Amino acid sequence: MNDIANSKAAVVDKLVIIGAGLIGSSVARAAKQYCAAKSIIIADQNKAVLDEAQALAIADGYFDDAGEAVQDADLVILAVPVGAMASVGEYIAAHLKSGSIVSDVGSVKNSVLLALAPIISDHVHLIPGHPVAGTEKSGPSAGFASLFDGRWCILTPPDGVDAAACSTLKAFWEQLGSTVEVMSAPHHDLVLAITSHVPHLIAYNIVGTANDLETVTRSEVIKYSAGGFRDFTRIAASDPTMWRDVFLNNKEAVLEMLGRFSEDLTALQRAIRWEDGDALFELFSRTREIRRSIIDAGQDENAPDFGRKH
Ligand code: NAP
């Protein structure tokens, strides 16, 4: 738990979160729990989502009109799918207070920056962001306050952004328990292509392939899934809208990383065909080290089989 943050003063007065799904509702819960904002407002176009958020009592106000919600906001965080960022930005632009900060949580950064920069006025500080934390679930009930605790949050401020605004946004995420890193939007997209986007594509693909097999039945795939397959199914259960938008908006970086992946896969195919055990052993030893480094960096638990009960 982020106990230190509990005793700190609020970083902003009025926080508005647009999109009350997994990430938006988690930001609201964390901001409330760790007192990062004096008042927390949620806006969502979907009445059922808004009602669900209200029933969970995760904010101080609920709006179906994002334009109305952002009046007098100090910090606005767009937590909608990447493909919806531009239309939401366009809708709220005229209602934003001069000096306010507009950020987002989208999994792709350069397309969000390019879409929002021409829309958001020069009197508003646009600083895109991405908390590198999440689950395969969606919707307000899936959120939780500790989601960002001990996780990275990457900010991708455009050149010339106001330093004080950047410090405020950094302090906000730190209050939620994150460690903040700043990098350019294109670099973010390259890094996330290999650490997140391509792994999701591989999971979607392998689960799809298994589903289409004719020689192995679907019930056999499910029955024997503990052999490794089920770990891919968790990732492949992720939100279809969100992930469609990620691939459409990070096309170049994903294709670049997929090219590298395909080459390495071909090399593995060759090693199996030619029974090159040394090549296989060498790779599998290196990859085991990567797992160890992730655990050492506190980015996962050391429990065997992801801590499942047996
Ligand atoms: P989610 O649970 O599906 O929530 C998205 C919410 O935004 C939904 O309530 C959706 O309403 C609403 N929405 C969609 N278009 C809107 C619009 N034009 N105006 C207002 N609300 C709108 O998705 P999420 O997982 O929280 O993802 C939100 C963002 O976080 C995405 O950009 C994603 O890339 C990023 N992100 C996700 C993760 C993760 O692990 N899930 C991690 C880091 C960052 P409807 O139900 O009507 O569509």
Side-chain angles (χ1 to χ4, degrees), residues 128-167:
H130 176 207
V132 186
T135 75
E136 70 280 19
K137 308 277 190 214
S138 307
S141 301
F144 51 99
S146 61
L147 179 62
F148 312 108
D149 212 346
R151 299 279 164 254
W152 290 97
C153 180
I154 300 172
L155 301 183
T156 59
D159 289 344
V161 82
D162 183 73
C166 224
S167 300

Side-chain angles (χ1 to χ4, degrees), residues 21-23 44-46 49 79-81 88 105-107 131 133-135 138-139 242:
L22 166 73
I23 302 297
D44 201 294
Q45 60 172 11
N46 184 327
V49 169
V80 298
V88 173
V105 294
S107 307
T135 75
S138 307
M242 169 188 158

Side-chain angles (χ1 to χ4, degrees), residues 68-132:
E68 245 177 78
V70 301
Q71 310 269 358
D72 297 323
D74 301 291
L75 171 59
V76 176
I77 297 186
L78 312 186
V80 298
V82 168
M85 295 287 180
S87 62
V88 173
E90 213 155 317
Y91 191 72
I92 61 168
H95 304 273
L96 293 165
K97 178 171 87 173
S98 178
S100 60
I101 301 170
V102 170
S103 189
D104 74 304
V105 294
S107 307
V108 180
K109 294 276 54 85
N110 206 36
S111 70
V112 171
L113 180 60
L114 293 177
L116 292 180
I119 297 168
I120 303 297
S121 124
D122 292 343
H123 306 295
V124 171
H125 309 294
L126 170 65
I127 309 171
H130 176 207
V132 186

Side-chain angles (χ1 to χ4, degrees), residues 167-191:
S167 300
T168 301
L169 188 60
K170 181 172 182 279
F172 174 81
W173 281 105
E174 285 172 349
Q175 191 116 323
L176 268 47
S178 291
T179 309
V180 174
E181 183 103 343
V182 173
M183 62 179 73
S184 75
H187 188 66
H188 165 279
D189 290 354
L190 264 183
V191 174

